[in-house]
Amino acid sequence: MPQPAPPAPPPDPRVVHAEKIANDTHVESALNDFIAAKQAALFDSPDAFYRTEGEDAIHAAPVAAKNLNQLRPDLLDGLGNDYQRQRLGDVLDAQMQLTRDGMARHVAEQSLAWQRGVAQDRIAILTKEAAHHHNDTDLVDALGHAAATAARAHSRVGDGPPGGEAEDAAAATARSGVLGAAIRARLDRGNTQGADALFTQVQDQLDPAHAAPLQSRIETVQRLTSAKDYADGIVSATPAASLEEIDALHQAAIQQAEADHTDDPRQQTLARHFLNQAFDARRQELQQGNTGSADAIEEWLNTPGADGGPQRNLPPPAVLNRLDDNALDDLVFRLGRDDRGVGLELLPYKPSLSTEPPGATVGDRTATGRDPNIVLAQTITDRPSPDHSAPSPERNLQNGSAAAAADIATQSARPGVNNYGGRCAAAVINSLREGGYDVPNVPLAKNMGPGLHGAGFEEIVPSTPLPIGSQHLPDDYTPRTGDVIVIDNPNSSGNAGHTAIYNGTDWVSDTVQSGANPYARGTSTISIYRHP
């Protein structure tokens, strides 16, 4: 009878220990695979769950959970024994529970965000609708009520109780935004009177953050309109004049404006600005008329006279009516020469241009024109030539007003917002000059500081860096109408920098800006100047 086999020797403890380490290491490796796959699904991939927002997060949650649940059997099937599967299964269950809790929180947060976003979109749409129907006051009021209702719904999202101060404040702010949009739309379309009427009607319903810039803008437009109407009234009452007479009339109008606005330097400066524009336009018209008259005179003088010799007769009234005194004197002077260029003795008459018959000979004329009390006979060659080179009087740009300069910059700005034309320095300098400050030209906007100092401005914010694209000015700085900002930015075109003036609501260069800093790239260094 065969002997039973001897019992197997007990396993070597070292081998048992090594096998346990191997099993545990397999489990840890599989756990690493799960965590990496979970991170990709939840965070890293382009369609990762935690990258989804609002409604998308709600729809993405079941798909992400299903994919993660599938990872569990796949990983367990890849293990070598029950020990490994049991151990990994316990760990994966704990991981999955934490993952599901986090996903549920994200879904809940994004659900609230979605609801709030829908309410905010409603408010924005109603605000835009109010701008479209700005002239329908009743509809604007109804849109404001609807916006307030949407704001209350926004405030109630979540577990907060309905009502309360926060909800009331949100509703009031939403309604204020709608009313403000209608007022701004009226201003944008030039209906200042309508904007002022609606502002007055709803002023107590406007949030201070909405009311202050609207009021400032309305007052600015009213100041500009008043000054322009004032200037137009003076100009319309000014008699027709020659190019030589227009300068004296211009100076008299400026003096009248200064006398009429002695107690209001800002309005005085604005009136002067519009008077300068109006009289400059008159000068241009006269200069263009003189050019046309000169051409007509040359054509007439080159036309042979009735005897085939040099032209000695006056041109028709259609030409005479376009001549001022100097041009008429010059014409008579040239008609009074014979074919040898010798001056003839004649009367320097000033005919009535509306009645003068064409074809009359110069030597036959009498002094029956604009000045019938003067009869002056002299030799034409002894008479001085008309002086067309007298300079225009220097404009009185004293009593500087930075606020008026800001108004002028706003009135002169290119249409639209951020519609830059590359002439910020010229726009600001010209406005400051119209406002009464002797500011020199500079080739680069970033170099305006010394000129502003010379005009009496103080640097209240010395060279201060702004982060890339930032509009946040220093906390201790409060803008005041007439402040001038000078910006140096290495990414500016030609490294020229930028400058703008504050009008009480916006920063204005050659365009109204949406903020103080126009640069989206590079660090801007700003300095801000103020006239005391």
Side-chain angles (χ1 to χ4, degrees):
M1 183 174 185
Q3 295 294 322
D12 189 324
R14 291 171 297 179
V15 173
V16 172
H17 182 66
E19 288 179 348
K20 184 177 185 306
I21 291 176
N23 285 329
D24 291 342
T25 301
H26 273 296
V27 171
E28 296 299 327
S29 177
L31 179 59
N32 286 346
D33 293 340
F34 173 81
I35 294 174
K38 180 188 71 173
Q39 290 175 345
L42 299 181
F43 299 99
D44 300 333
S45 66
D47 58 347
F49 171 72
Y50 282 113
R51 292 189 178 189
T52 59
E53 298 178 349
E55 182 183 8
D56 292 340
I58 298 172
H59 296 314
V63 177
K66 179 180 178 181
N67 292 336
L68 290 174
N69 286 332
Q70 186 58 44
L71 286 175
R72 188 178 190 281
D74 291 344
L75 290 170
L76 292 177
D77 290 345
L79 296 178
N81 56 56
D82 291 340
Y83 172 82
Q84 295 176 8
R85 283 186 282 273
Q86 179 63 46
R87 180 116 189 274
L88 180 62
D90 293 341
V91 175
L92 291 180
D93 288 342
Q95 285 281 337
M96 284 299 299
Q97 185 58 50
L98 292 174
T99 301
R100 282 190 290 267
D101 290 344
M103 292 175 62
R105 285 193 297 273
H106 182 67
V107 168
E109 292 168 357
Q110 292 306 311
S111 176
L112 296 177
W114 181 27
Q115 295 173 65
R116 293 190 182 102
V118 169
Q120 290 282 25
D121 290 344
R122 176 66 58 79
I123 295 170
I125 291 171
L126 293 170
T127 302
K128 187 175 181 180
E129 188 78 0
H132 287 318
H133 297 281
H134 58 90
N135 281 329
D136 190 335
T137 304
D138 291 339
L139 179 56
V140 168
D141 181 72
L143 293 170
H145 178 73
T149 301
R152 291 186 182 280
H154 175 279
S155 296
R156 293 170 187 168
V157 171
D159 298 328
E165 293 183 0
E167 183 178 313
D168 292 342
T173 299
R175 177 173 175 79
S176 172
V178 168
L179 299 176
I183 296 171
R184 281 193 299 275
R186 293 186 181 187
L187 287 170
D188 291 342
R189 289 158 180 80
N191 184 9
T192 308
Q193 184 176 357
D196 185 41
L198 182 56
F199 180 86
T200 301
Q201 178 180 339
V202 303
Q203 186 171 7
D204 60 336
Q205 303 173 49
L206 293 175
D207 186 280
H210 296 150
L214 286 172
Q215 185 171 23
S216 175
R217 187 175 173 188
I218 289 172
E219 290 174 353
T220 296
V221 174
Q222 288 175 332
R223 280 195 302 269
L224 290 167
T225 301
S226 174
K228 189 174 188 309
D229 290 345
Y230 172 85
D232 288 344
I234 290 182
V235 173
S236 64
T238 301
S242 67
L243 190 59
E244 286 68 31
E245 295 168 334
I246 200 69
D247 289 339
L249 293 173
H250 183 184
Q251 191 63 34
I254 293 295
Q255 292 172 353
Q256 180 179 341
E258 291 176 346
D260 290 345
H261 299 93
T262 303
D263 298 330
D264 191 348
R266 186 172 185 175
Q267 204 67 9
Q268 185 183 79
T269 301
L270 292 175
R272 186 167 57 238
H273 165 71
F274 286 112
L275 285 170
N276 289 341
Q277 284 188 335
F279 278 98
D280 285 347
R282 276 204 176 187
R283 285 189 185 89
Q284 186 174 5
E285 291 174 0
L286 289 170
Q287 289 167 349
Q288 291 173 345
N290 283 356
T291 299
S293 300
D295 293 341
I297 290 172
E298 291 300 323
E299 182 178 355
W300 176 257
L301 290 173
N302 289 328
T303 302
D307 59 359
Q311 182 63 258
R312 297 284 307 281
N313 295 332
L314 290 172
V319 175
L320 288 176
N321 287 339
R322 297 161 61 184
L323 306 183
D324 60 18
D325 286 352
N326 282 330
L328 180 62
D329 287 347
D330 190 44
L331 172 63
V332 172
F333 176 77
R334 296 177 67 183
L335 286 173
R337 293 178 178 276
D338 65 12
D339 55 358
R340 295 164 298 172
V342 178
L344 302 178
E345 189 171 325
L346 52 83
L347 295 178
Y349 56 85
K350 298 178 182 290
S352 173
L353 298 184
S354 61
T355 60
E356 192 58 40
T361 303
V362 172
D364 297 336
R365 297 302 310 241
T366 58
T368 58
R370 300 174 197 164
D371 192 354
N373 297 316
I374 298 179
V375 178
L376 181 63
Q378 61 179 189
T379 302
I380 291 297
T381 51
D382 294 335
R383 295 174 61 204
S385 298
D387 181 10
H388 300 285
S389 61
S392 301
E394 293 185 5
R395 293 176 180 174
N396 181 4
L397 295 180
Q398 303 304 313
N399 301 322
S401 168
D407 291 341
I408 292 169
T410 304
Q411 186 261 343
S412 304
R414 292 160 60 91
V417 177
N418 297 334
N419 182 22
Y420 296 99
R423 295 181 57 79
C424 61
V428 173
I429 289 173
N430 288 339
S431 299
L432 289 170
R433 288 175 177 172
E434 290 280 8
Y437 301 105
D438 186 12
V439 182
N441 290 329
V442 292
L444 303 177
K446 67 180 182 180
N447 294 335
M448 279 187 59
L452 291 169
H453 272 300
F457 282 74
E458 298 176 354
E459 187 177 19
I460 61 171
V461 177
S463 297
T464 302
L466 290 183
I468 295 174
S470 173
Q471 297 293 341
H472 184 71
L473 300 178
D475 291 334
D476 58 352
Y477 167 69
T478 301
R480 191 175 80 185
T481 302
D483 286 357
V484 178
I485 188 170
V486 177
I487 305 176
D488 185 4
N489 185 291
N491 287 306
S492 62
S493 177
N495 196 24
H498 185 71
T499 185
I501 187 169
Y502 189 67
N503 69 3
T505 305
D506 304 299
W507 290 95
V508 184
S509 51
D510 57 350
T511 180
V512 176
Q513 303 177 184
S514 59
N517 179 20
Y519 299 111
R521 296 183 300 151
T523 299
S524 296
T525 301
I526 67 164
S527 298
I528 299 178
Y529 297 82
R530 176 176 293 169
H531 201 275

